[in-house]
Amino acid sequence: MVCGVYVFNMALIEEPKVERPENLTAKEQLDLKNKKLVRKLLWLVVGSLLFAFALVPLYDVLCSLTGLNGKTQNSAALLTKAKVDNSRWVNVQFTSSVMPGLGWNFYPKQTSIRLHPGQIETVLFVAKNITNEVVVGQAVPSITPGIAAANLKKIECFCFVRQSLKPGEEKEMPLRFFVSPELPKDVSDMTLSYSFFPAVSESK
Amino acid sequence: MSTTTVAHHDDHAEHPTGIMRWLTTTNHKDIGTMYLTFSLIMFFVGGAMILGIRAELFKPGLQLMNPEFFNQLIGVHALIMIFAALMPAATGFANWMIPLQIGAPDMALPRLNNWGFWLLPPSAILLTLPFTLALFGIGDGALATGWTFYPPLSVQGGIGVDFAIFAVHLLGISSVLGSINVIVTVFNMRAPGMTLMKMPMFVWGWLITAFLLIATIPVLAGAVTMLLTDRHFGTHFFDAAGGGDPIMFQHLFWFFGHPEVYILLLPVWGFIPQILETFSRKPMYGYKAQVYSLWAIGALAVVVWAHHFFTAGMPVPALLYFMYSTMAISLPLAVLFFCWIKTMWRGSMSFETPMLFAVGWIILFGIGGLTGLVLADVAADAQYHNSYFVVAHFHYTLFAGGIMGIMAGTYYWLPKMTGHMYSEKLGKLHFWLTAISFNMTFIPQFFLGLAGMPRRIPDYALQFAEFNMISSIAAFTLGLSQLLFVYNIVSCARGGKKATDKVWDGAQGLEWTLPSPPPYHSFTEQPVIK
């Protein structure tokens, strides 16, 4: 069956003339060329795998720079002599949740507070261990709106360290904070949420 | 070596027979056939799962299954349809047609090709095995998180998640191997004279798909590996208690997930113009514009991922960026639509089954594209997110745009691959049944979504009952009409009217210069393109 090998602008002619080094056949030459390209493409695969893992630290850097996802600096803010801006009020609300696996009750003592930017306040959260063993937990904060996350400055917080509760123990945990006067003008309400997770032991 | 296979020495058709032929083959046509067969089988497995879902959603309330099983069916349906039905179908056509279209004797890396295929059946087993294990009381069934694996649910889930993670690893390796093979074949094995800008559009579509796969599949592999170490090895990539962030998973996943949509569609955008030019009997319009548009879409595909989770929380500038960049994709896509329609303009068109599917495809895929534009709008998306509107939208792009496109390609090349004509009558019946029942299934879902019915929930409020009933009846019609497709393919493979070499009188390209079916080894002497 050699019929029908001609079609429109495509035609079959004899042996194509290819320049080749003396000691290699066309087949070997092609194999060599293929191997080279495969190697390059494999580097591309390795590159994008590394890129995936590089995104992890990049994402954290981006989030703490921009306050994306309401991530806050989880360490004490420097107590600068911020001027209290008496001309405006901010309403800060508190919510709490306990993640599965942690046998605690956990709630804020007051659900919201009204303050001036720059004014330092202390609020209390209450945690109670309802199991009969010692349990260690770690609180993770999140703030909405994300754009204001960087403006909530904590001076002292129970979320900076792990909290350990004995069986049945109840503890009042303080949060000392202020809202930076650089808070964007259009933000008048903020919500600070704490989720208590079972702490992961250091050894892991 | 078998003695029955030496009829024509020129064909070099000696190969082991029986099961060993398929296990050991390095022939691109055999491997292509295996890919396509596997894809067809998995299409029915995934389809059966979704019919279970539609049966449950036929009436409000819980009738047939518990919510956990419902969730498992949803997630595994999607993974199977995407990774085990659509992608292998495209790869099957790549194996069959790329060497024929560029005048190469085989794929560049035949052994790798064989391995690429044989990774698929184990991964399909890994995906579905947890269902069976649960019957014997081992584990709690398959992945129940939906195909997106979002933590924290996927970190807390049962062994089904682990099975799915390993299945995704295998499927990923298979796709990357296949892509490397396609790129090497296209770059190194083209017939003399076939420059890149003379390549058939299908080859272009696949070349860009292959690059997208290489760039994004490793990111998915990385993300699910992090999930695995979070689950079992004490890392906290996505665990907020350890300083991780579950939202980061969504970024990683969709960095792969959005290009994946184009990975599924680019091969189809390749062969649809070829079908259109064949049955319009005039050369395709705007070849260069189409190639550049494909590249533009491929490039934009990797920078728009966050539109899949606008509601997860992002700064406004980021929302705006992802909205505008997503909408920008509609520009090259509009160029493609214009070229497809202009190709048919004033052509002497005839409507054989592949052409019916291709023309229907343009309209239905157009609906999918336009509803995507609605979802890309940040303000509107807040309402439509996670509703049935989204479900209807992506089925217009992936069932109409993907699977109906693949069906067009199947009818187009089936006579070339088998050497026989399929039944035109059954083919047309299959098209009309599919097109009508598909619309009847998903148009009601647009309205359900607008009315506020959330996706992935086994029960719904009473006011959604009628539309869900219509959708379920149509879905069963859609599923059952695919049996016609199988019957047509099988009877065509077994015999029927002999196909001519050129098959369609407007067909253009090197594959139509070969006999139907092509000999086991073709283009051992490469043709020269002028």
Side-chain angles (χ1 to χ4, degrees):
Chain A
M1 289 277 248
V2 271
C3 52
V5 273
Y6 297 97
V7 68
F8 302 105
N9 56 345
M10 299 159 184
L12 195 76
I13 55 168
E14 316 83 335
E15 184 68 54
K17 283 217 171 93
V18 191
E19 283 187 4
R20 54 178 78 136
E22 322 76 63
N23 49 358
L24 285 180
T25 65
K27 174 96 180 67
E28 287 169 323
Q29 234 180 355
L30 182 65
D31 281 350
L32 211 65
K33 219 170 127 193
N34 287 350
K35 264 185 204 144
K36 255 190 196 162
L37 187 53
V38 169
R39 220 165 290 146
K40 277 186 207 157
L41 291 171
L42 281 177
W43 278 116
L44 204 61
V45 175
V46 173
S48 38
L49 195 63
L50 288 179
F51 173 68
F53 284 90
L55 280 174
V56 178
L58 275 176
Y59 179 82
D60 275 350
V61 170
L62 206 71
C63 285
S64 58
L65 278 182
T66 60
L68 193 70
N69 292 333
K71 280 204 172 186
T72 60
Q73 243 72 19
N74 211 16
S75 55
L78 284 176
L79 188 53
T80 48
K81 280 198 184 131
K83 262 200 187 146
V84 178
D85 180 0
N86 283 315
S87 64
R88 58 189 288 214
W89 288 99
V90 187
N91 195 29
V92 183
Q93 299 177 316
F94 306 101
T95 65
S96 65
S97 56
V98 180
M99 300 310 277
L102 188 72
W104 286 14
N105 289 332
F106 171 60
Y107 55 91
K109 247 191 153 171
Q110 60 187 113
T111 52
S112 72
I113 190 169
R114 218 161 105 86
L115 42 65
H116 294 295
Q119 178 186 339
I120 297 167
E121 283 291 343
T122 305
V123 289
L124 291 174
F125 283 71
V126 183
K128 185 179 184 192
N129 183 354
I130 50 172
T131 65
N132 45 20
E133 43 195 68
V134 180
V135 180
V136 184
Q138 167 74 54
V140 176
S142 177
I143 293 168
T144 46
I147 195 167
N151 297 106
L152 195 133
K153 309 278 191 192
K154 294 173 209 160
I155 299 161
E156 187 195 341
C157 177
F158 57 91
C159 60
F160 293 162
V161 289
R162 293 149 195 272
Q163 301 290 331
S164 172
L165 290 184
K166 291 188 204 73
E169 186 189 350
E170 188 174 281
K171 197 150 96 181
E172 286 193 346
M173 301 183 297
L175 161 69
R176 215 167 142 68
F177 75 102
F178 64 95
V179 176
S180 147
E182 282 120 53
L183 185 74
K185 284 273 173 286
D186 52 341
V187 179
S188 58
D189 290 88
M190 300 170 71
T191 305
L192 171 58
S193 147
Y194 279 106
S195 303
F196 243 109
F197 286 80
V200 192
S201 66
E202 293 287 354
S203 61
K204 263 193 184 173
Chain B
M1 183 63 62
S2 159
T3 51
T4 56
T5 49
V6 280
H8 298 288
H9 186 68
D10 283 355
D11 283 357
H12 299 288
E14 308 97 35
H15 49 68
T17 51
I19 184 76
M20 283 314 281
R21 167 178 174 185
W22 302 103
L23 280 174
T24 61
T25 185
T26 56
N27 180 285
H28 73 101
K29 300 182 188 87
D30 279 356
I31 294 175
T33 306
M34 289 198 294
Y35 266 110
L36 290 170
T37 314
F38 175 79
S39 151
L40 191 61
I41 294 169
M42 294 317 284
F43 177 51
F44 277 87
V45 173
M49 288 179 179
I50 208 60
L51 289 187
I53 303 261
R54 280 317 321 171
E56 172 58 53
L57 291 173
F58 185 71
K59 279 200 321 196
L62 297 179
Q63 287 91 30
L64 300 173
M65 54 187 80
N66 60 34
E68 288 75 26
F69 187 65
F70 181 92
N71 288 343
Q72 294 168 14
L73 284 184
I74 292 230
V76 180
H77 158 77
L79 282 173
I80 284 189
M81 284 304 197
I82 292 167
F83 286 100
L86 253 176
M87 285 172 74
T91 316
F93 280 126
N95 264 295
W96 252 100
M97 290 304 157
I98 287 179
L100 298 188
Q101 287 195 326
I102 63 172
D106 203 316
M107 296 295 275
L109 314 159
R111 282 168 190 244
L112 200 77
N113 208 5
N114 175 293
W115 191 38
F117 171 77
W118 283 109
L119 283 175
L120 290 182
S123 51
I125 293 170
L126 277 181
L127 271 179
T128 47
L129 192 63
F131 285 121
T132 323
L133 289 181
L135 290 181
F136 295 100
I138 306 168
D140 45 7
L143 170 90
T145 63
W147 81 288
T148 51
F149 291 96
Y150 279 4
L153 190 57
S154 56
V155 176
Q156 296 158 357
I159 55 164
V161 181
D162 299 314
F163 275 91
I165 287 173
F166 285 120
V168 165
H169 278 143
L170 287 187
L171 291 161
I173 294 171
S174 163
S175 307
V176 167
L177 294 179
S179 304
I180 289 178
N181 208 350
V182 166
I183 295 175
V184 176
T185 308
V186 171
F187 279 169
N188 289 354
M189 312 259 296
R190 292 193 313 277
M194 181 174 281
T195 57
L196 285 175
M197 288 312 276
K198 276 187 190 167
M199 289 196 311
M201 197 56 77
F202 177 60
V203 183
W204 264 119
W206 241 107
L207 186 64
I208 299 164
T209 286
F211 274 111
L212 281 179
L213 275 168
I214 289 186
T216 61
I217 285 270
V219 176
L220 174 70
V224 294
T225 307
M226 291 177 206
L227 205 55
L228 190 73
T229 58
D230 266 17
R231 283 170 60 79
H232 298 294
F233 303 106
T235 58
H236 334 100
F237 289 105
F238 311 122
D239 184 0
D245 191 334
I247 304 284
M248 185 178 73
F249 182 86
Q250 304 189 12
H251 283 277
L252 287 172
F253 182 86
W254 289 109
F255 184 82
F256 147 82
H258 193 74
E260 171 68 15
V261 179
Y262 298 101
I263 286 164
L264 297 169
L265 292 176
L266 278 163
V268 179
W269 296 342
F271 60 66
I272 291 285
Q274 293 184 277
I275 295 174
L276 292 174
E277 71 175 349
T278 298
F279 295 99
S280 305
R281 292 169 183 78
K282 64 200 264 282
M284 88 179 52
Y285 180 83
Y287 174 88
K288 271 189 188 167
Q290 289 193 45
V291 172
Y292 296 149
S293 298
L294 293 183
W295 274 113
I297 293 170
L300 282 170
V302 289
V303 296
V304 297
W305 70 91
H307 64 222
H308 290 270
F309 47 98
F310 277 149
T311 55
M314 252 175 273
V316 174
L319 288 175
L320 290 177
Y321 161 72
F322 283 112
M323 171 168 88
Y324 290 129
S325 57
T326 304
M327 289 180 169
I329 294 183
S330 61
L331 300 176
L333 204 51
V335 173
L336 287 177
F337 270 94
F338 178 75
C339 292
W340 298 331
I341 294 167
K342 190 72 171 62
T343 300
M344 294 187 288
W345 185 252
R346 292 189 172 168
S348 47
M349 290 164 69
S350 59
F351 292 92
E352 285 86 346
T353 311
M355 186 60 163
L356 278 181
F357 268 98
V359 176
W361 176 91
I362 293 182
I363 297 165
L364 296 179
F365 177 57
I367 296 175
L370 289 173
T371 50
L373 217 45
V374 176
L375 290 169
D377 185 317
V378 173
D381 184 67
Q383 184 191 342
Y384 303 148
H385 183 78
N386 252 356
S387 76
Y388 260 87
F389 189 87
V390 178
V391 176
H393 153 70
F394 70 70
H395 280 93
Y396 268 86
T397 59
L398 293 184
F399 187 91
I403 291 175
M404 285 179 73
I406 294 283
M407 284 170 179
T410 308
Y411 283 114
Y412 183 57
W413 281 317
L414 200 57
K416 172 53 66 185
M417 296 191 285
T418 62
H420 306 291
M421 296 304 289
Y422 58 84
S423 157
E424 198 62 58
K425 217 166 131 191
L426 282 182
K428 282 179 176 158
L429 183 64
H430 173 224
F431 168 74
W432 287 111
L433 278 174
T434 303
I436 292 170
S437 56
F438 167 76
N439 281 302
M440 292 288 288
T441 307
F442 290 104
I443 287 176
Q445 295 188 8
F446 278 125
F447 293 103
L448 286 171
L450 291 179
M453 179 168 162
R455 62 192 284 212
R456 290 174 175 159
I457 308 280
D459 191 5
Y460 50 83
L462 284 177
Q463 69 266 32
F464 303 134
E466 284 85 358
F467 272 18
N468 268 297
M469 196 176 277
I470 298 171
S471 185
S472 286
I473 293 170
F476 273 87
T477 318
L478 181 60
L480 292 176
S481 22
Q482 304 318 312
L483 294 174
L484 277 178
F485 184 47
V486 180
Y487 175 78
N488 213 350
I489 292 176
V490 171
S491 54
C492 173
R494 290 184 144 192
K497 208 181 106 206
K498 193 92 188 71
T500 58
D501 292 355
K502 211 176 148 194
V503 185
W504 315 109
D505 72 339
Q508 304 192 38
L510 280 179
E511 75 262 39
W512 309 105
T513 64
L514 291 166
S516 302
Y520 198 63
H521 294 287
S522 44
F523 290 130
T524 39
E525 259 180 62
Q526 290 201 295
V528 172
I529 318 299
K530 277 186 182 164

